[in-house]
Amino acid sequence: MKRRKFLKRSGALTTGLATVPLAAMPLSSQSLPNSLPSGDDPVRPIVICTWDFGNATAKAWEVLANDGNALDAVEQGVMIEEADENNQTVGMGGRPDRDGRVSLDACIMDAKGNCGAVLAMENIVHPISVARAVMERTPHVMLSGKGAERFGYEQGFKKTDLLTEKSKTEWVEWQKTAQYKPLINIENHDTIGMLAIDAKGDISGACTTSGMAYKMAGRVGDSPIIGAGLFVDNEVGAATATGVGEEVVRTVGSFLIVELMRQGKSPQEACEEGVRRILKKNDDKADFQIGFIAINKKGETGSYCIHPGFSYRSYTKEGHRNTPSDSYIKV
């Protein structure tokens, strides 16, 4: 079927710890403190992802190193975390909503601007692959809930109970107080967003999550929203986000970062401005976490977050490493 493309004319657009006045926090003016070394030649292939998901980036690099394309690399990379029961923020084993049901969100985007997403989908381990099927086999960009689940079965995906004993036990314990207070970096990891450039210079991205623990049933954050949790422009670069998704949606954060790179900012500068835009809309409060990563066409990277603790993993021919992100609030 005809692939659906994201409209190119799109406009640019929780509770936690203590409230922090923005005026009291120094703004970082340093460009590319965390980026990979840049030179005259583009860095490619390359893959980066939010948080320290080494197994995921290793799988994506395996695809890229064997002359695979960026789209396959990001899909296969994030699938590693979707299938990992020990990762309670993505896929199988994800923490449930307040009703004890695990629902998943994911999106994927290729170098041509094609994209697909699933929202609030249950009972299928790999939402990223269902999102790719939406992109490649339907005239739509997004499918949600039971419709997404039914489509997945039609495409051959198996029905699986995603609620593990560990996550169920924690949910039962949570019900004793039923207080919804997501703390900053409490899980030490969150959504996995992955960006890759293949040997041909083409960029793709993927983003997948089980969302906030004990969220209201039906809640969807930024992760499956093209332009918010993920955006790719093959002429410029790509960006993806993690953290409190509602805040990223408000600024169409990933699209904003890519557009800032189009205007000449480095990935690091663009990520910093993306965080500042979010904080500006929050009445001088910074009691939540947001983290962005970005990559430009040259393979230069950047990251920025509100609170310390966020990092991103990268893999190039120079090696595999985890890089702590610079943050708006300092230790």
Side-chain angles (χ1 to χ4, degrees), residues 62-141:
E62 178 184 322
V63 175
L64 295 173
N66 285 284
D67 206 28
N69 64 60
L71 185 63
D72 289 340
V74 295
E75 179 191 14
Q76 293 184 36
V78 302
M79 285 174 68
I80 296 294
E81 295 307 319
E82 288 179 334
D84 184 357
E85 296 184 13
N86 294 317
N87 184 344
Q88 292 179 277
T89 62
V90 180
M92 183 76 181
R95 291 185 174 91
D97 63 22
R98 299 182 190 190
D99 299 331
R101 305 177 73 92
V102 180
S103 63
L104 308 178
D105 308 312
C107 73
I108 195 165
M109 193 168 187
D110 70 12
K112 295 181 179 180
N114 300 306
C115 50
V118 291
L119 295 71
M121 186 183 73
E122 300 180 22
N123 301 314
I124 295 177
V125 175
H126 292 299
I128 197 64
S129 298
V130 182
R132 182 170 179 176
V134 171
M135 178 180 78
E136 296 181 334
R137 303 174 190 174
T138 81
H140 307 307
V141 166

Side-chain angles (χ1 to χ4, degrees), residues 291-312:
F292 286 114
I293 62 172
I295 191 168
N296 66 14
K297 193 71 171 177
K298 297 178 182 178
E300 297 169 335
T301 65
S303 69
Y304 202 62
C305 56
I306 297 176
H307 295 265
F310 174 56
S311 66
Y312 73 104

Side-chain angles (χ1 to χ4, degrees), residues 161-238:
D161 184 358
L162 302 176
L163 184 61
T164 59
E165 282 302 315
K166 180 179 180 181
S167 289
K168 182 178 180 180
T169 299
E170 291 180 359
W171 170 67
V172 170
E173 184 66 24
W174 172 82
Q175 286 182 299
K176 295 178 181 179
T177 58
Q179 293 183 353
Y180 188 62
K181 295 182 178 180
L183 301 179
I184 296 164
N185 293 337
I186 190 65
E187 298 160 350
N188 196 33
H189 57 71
D190 197 346
T191 300
I192 179 170
M194 181 174 285
L195 311 172
I197 305 178
D198 58 33
K200 295 180 180 178
D202 287 330
I203 310 172
S204 292
C207 189
T208 181
T209 188
S210 55
M212 287 183 172
Y214 319 130
K215 61 195 176 186
M216 293 179 67
R219 179 265 184 186
V220 174
D222 66 306
S223 297
I225 308 300
I226 300 296
L230 173 73
F231 193 72
V232 175
D233 186 323
N234 204 44
E235 294 180 352
V236 181

